[in-house]
Amino acid sequence: MKKLEQIYEGKAKKVFRTDDPEQFIVEYKDDATAFNGLKKGTILGKGAINNRMTNLLMQMLEKKGVPTHFVEELSDRETVVKKVTIVPLEVIIRNVSAGHFAERYGVEEGITFDEPTIEFSYKNDDLGDPLINAYHARALKLATREEIDTIVDLAFKVNEALKEFFLTVGIKLVDFKLEFGRTTDGTIILADEISPDTCRLWDKDTNEKLDKDRFRRDLGNVEGAYQEVMRRLMGEQA
Ligand code: TMP
């Protein structure tokens, strides 16, 4: 597999073309941003942790019947993935109130919902990723009705699998963000990453935050939190 030219650079990852027209290589960076890029920093070792954690979780999800873009881990920070066009929706599932949900609706953080919620943001940095509903997404031709139905079903399935998996290592899955892609033949598959950058992960007993909120909110020990999640997940693997 040959790494050819870079075709995209996001806030936390780069994507490269390869000699296989159906496969890309993703490279994870240590760069961290928050508040739509307003806050910038580095989380040492984050790229390697997010790469390994995403791959571990995606392989687990594949076994549970969720199609993902994962193909093969190449190195610490690099993974071969299936080529997709990203559906420009951030799909957010919440099990417990936190973050924008708590702010937007004026409730405290930490309230466990009777059922998980789902919401979409329009992935558009210039607009600050505004919240949209499924009708708006269709009006904007971001996805078809069938694609949105598939995305919702898969997102809830991912939630059940991840919630259970994290709980076995003493972690409460508070909320997370997913992105989906279309393969060349139009199939919707899970893409992007699943990591402490894109999930809120709280210790089951102490509610200690083990995710990017430590960076967003200047809580300290950011690197330690990422390492702790990885240490627990790898322990589960052994
Ligand atoms: P929120 O409460 O800020 O809307 O975040 C919900 C979840 O989505 C949280 O686990 C963090 C994740 N997220 C991202 O992955 N990328 C983003 O740009 C934002 C705003 C949130």
Side-chain angles (χ1 to χ4, degrees):
M1 166 78 41
K2 220 167 137 207
K3 193 169 171 182
L4 301 177
E5 80 274 17
Q6 182 178 308
I7 51 171
Y8 173 80
E9 177 161 9
K11 296 185 191 112
K13 296 188 286 301
K14 294 176 182 176
V15 182
F16 297 85
R17 204 190 300 283
T18 70
D19 50 5
D20 181 336
E22 290 305 319
Q23 297 188 338
F24 287 159
I25 291 174
V26 176
E27 185 184 313
Y28 287 73
K29 307 188 284 184
D30 283 353
D31 300 349
T33 65
F35 315 116
N36 202 17
L38 277 179
K39 182 181 172 107
K40 290 190 175 69
T42 301
I43 302 175
L44 275 180
K46 171 172 89 79
I49 288 177
N50 288 3
N51 182 40
R52 296 188 70 194
M53 191 180 305
T54 297
N55 294 343
L56 194 125
L57 295 172
M58 289 216 179
Q59 287 172 88
M60 183 273 287
L61 290 168
E62 285 275 358
K63 284 191 200 135
K64 303 241 173 193
V66 176
T68 78
H69 74 170
F70 176 78
V71 177
E72 185 193 359
E73 191 167 293
L74 273 190
S75 71
D76 252 21
R77 288 170 187 273
E78 296 166 308
T79 294
V80 182
V81 298
K82 289 178 195 152
K83 175 185 159 183
V84 293
T85 317
I86 292 288
V87 177
L89 292 172
E90 299 202 337
V91 181
I92 296 165
I93 296 265
R94 302 179 191 270
N95 298 303
V96 178
S97 66
H100 280 108
F101 184 96
E103 248 174 60
R104 198 185 301 135
Y105 305 122
V107 296
E108 58 183 309
E109 294 198 310
I111 302 163
T112 302
F113 305 140
D114 292 341
E115 289 174 51
T117 69
I118 190 163
E119 73 205 42
F120 303 110
S121 289
Y122 176 22
K123 213 173 130 60
N124 183 320
D125 282 341
D126 293 340
L127 301 176
D129 298 340
L131 188 68
I132 62 169
N133 68 30
Y135 294 89
H136 299 150
R138 281 166 53 198
L140 292 168
K141 300 208 186 307
L142 307 182
T144 64
R145 181 200 291 250
E146 291 71 26
E147 285 175 334
I148 293 172
D149 287 347
T150 303
I151 286 171
V152 169
D153 287 349
L154 288 174
F156 281 123
K157 196 166 174 177
V158 168
N159 184 44
E160 290 312 310
L162 286 185
K163 221 170 31 173
E164 189 185 313
F165 190 66
F166 276 115
L167 213 52
T168 62
V169 297
I171 291 174
K172 196 189 291 178
L173 178 62
V174 170
D175 57 31
F176 59 96
K177 184 263 300 180
L178 300 175
E179 293 183 25
F180 292 85
R182 277 179 208 105
T183 60
T184 311
D185 71 5
T187 309
I188 292 284
I189 65 175
L190 182 62
D192 195 50
E193 66 179 279
I194 309 172
S195 72
D197 273 14
T198 62
C199 303
R200 283 197 174 90
L201 305 168
W202 294 359
D203 180 86
K204 177 174 78 67
D205 299 317
T206 65
N207 282 340
E208 185 191 356
K209 295 185 198 318
L210 299 170
D211 58 63
K212 195 177 163 189
D213 270 349
R214 300 204 73 84
F215 168 79
R216 295 189 188 97
R217 302 178 188 190
D218 295 319
L219 300 177
N221 196 26
V222 185
E223 280 87 0
Y226 279 67
Q227 285 160 13
E228 174 62 15
V229 175
M230 197 60 214
R231 191 189 64 73
R232 293 195 196 185
L233 289 181
M234 291 316 287
E236 192 52 26
Q237 277 280 292

